[in-house]
Amino acid sequence: MKKRTYQILAGAILISAFFFAAAPNSLTHNSTTNVPDRMVTEMIDKPVFREESTNSVSVKLFNAAGEPTGFASFEQVDDGVKVKIAASGLTPGKHGFHVHENAIQSFDFKSAGGHFNPTDKHHGLEHPQGSHVGDMPNLVVEKDGTVKTELLIKHATLDKNQANSLLGRSLIIHEDEDDGKTDPAGNSGNRIMGGNIPK
């Protein structure tokens, strides 16, 4: 009986000695594998969430009578300024669409001046020597008189105090289609809708 008891105790001591000898190595291995120093450093040095640019502005659109007709937004992106527009009250078909050099005064679209052209180019995305920074593709209006689209102005910025900045200028929609090449406005007709881009 005593011999059996001694055998059990000896076995328990051996198992305990093995466990305590192995445990530190096991814990060290797990901590090193799961959270190595370089990962801890990365977690400390780098933000969890990437801060997105908030460089964007909104524009309210109106017609010549001062009635609200829609809105547009401008957002700085890597390769220019992204424009989103949603508007109503237009005739179906294509309409010239440009950024003009001045803000609109008292709903008088003529006060917007010419197309925004800081590089002194010719008019039109199809002009071999163009184009104005403010030139954009035609808007295509649906049968119900609405348009909703997105496009890019490649050579513009929303940064202040830059020659190609869109801030403080205006957005104009014309009555007719822009032919994409004729100075000064692509034969796009009267100015029928627009809005001011905040400074």
Side-chain angles (χ1 to χ4, degrees):
M1 180 68 179
K2 289 182 179 180
K3 185 178 180 180
R4 177 65 175 165
T5 301
Y6 289 141
Q7 289 175 338
I8 293 172
L9 289 173
I13 291 169
L14 288 173
I15 292 171
S16 297
F18 176 78
F19 174 78
F20 286 113
N25 291 333
S26 176
L27 291 173
T28 302
H29 175 72
N30 287 342
S31 61
T32 303
T33 300
N34 292 337
V35 190
D37 289 342
R38 64 182 180 84
M39 288 182 64
V40 172
T41 302
E42 288 175 1
M43 291 169 65
I44 292 172
D45 292 344
K46 295 181 179 180
V48 177
F49 298 102
R50 180 175 177 269
E51 185 177 351
E52 296 292 337
S53 171
T54 56
N55 195 0
S56 62
V57 295
S58 297
V59 177
K60 294 180 181 179
L61 300 175
F62 49 86
N63 59 24
E67 299 166 335
T69 55
F71 64 91
S73 66
F74 292 76
E75 179 185 2
Q76 186 75 55
V77 294
D78 290 340
D79 48 354
V81 175
K82 180 167 64 175
V83 183
K84 295 181 179 180
I85 180 171
S88 60
L90 294 160
T91 56
K94 295 181 179 181
H95 293 262
F97 184 48
H98 316 110
V99 174
H100 284 243
E101 58 187 346
N102 303 321
I104 301 163
Q105 304 294 326
S106 304
F107 307 115
D108 177 11
F109 295 134
K110 290 182 179 180
S111 64
H115 292 180
F116 179 44
N117 186 24
T119 53
D120 196 28
K121 298 287 187 178
H122 289 276
H123 167 73
L125 298 177
E126 298 179 18
H127 197 291
Q129 299 177 12
S131 60
H132 302 152
V133 170
D135 289 344
M136 291 184 283
N138 285 298
L139 293 179
V140 181
V141 177
E142 302 294 336
K143 291 181 179 179
D144 63 358
T146 65
V147 62
K148 185 176 183 181
T149 192
E150 179 179 315
L151 46 87
L152 180 70
I153 306 177
K154 290 185 178 180
H155 303 292
T157 182
L158 294 181
D159 291 339
K160 293 183 178 181
N161 303 319
Q162 298 295 320
N164 60 337
S165 177
L166 302 181
L167 299 180
R169 310 195 185 280
S170 58
L171 191 63
I172 295 288
I173 301 174
H174 290 256
E175 185 175 25
D176 301 321
E177 176 181 357
D178 183 341
D179 65 20
K181 55 189 177 183
T182 303
D183 285 321
N187 290 325
S188 51
N190 293 329
R191 306 171 184 189
I192 59 173
M193 193 176 293
N196 289 334
I197 305 169
K199 292 183 179 180

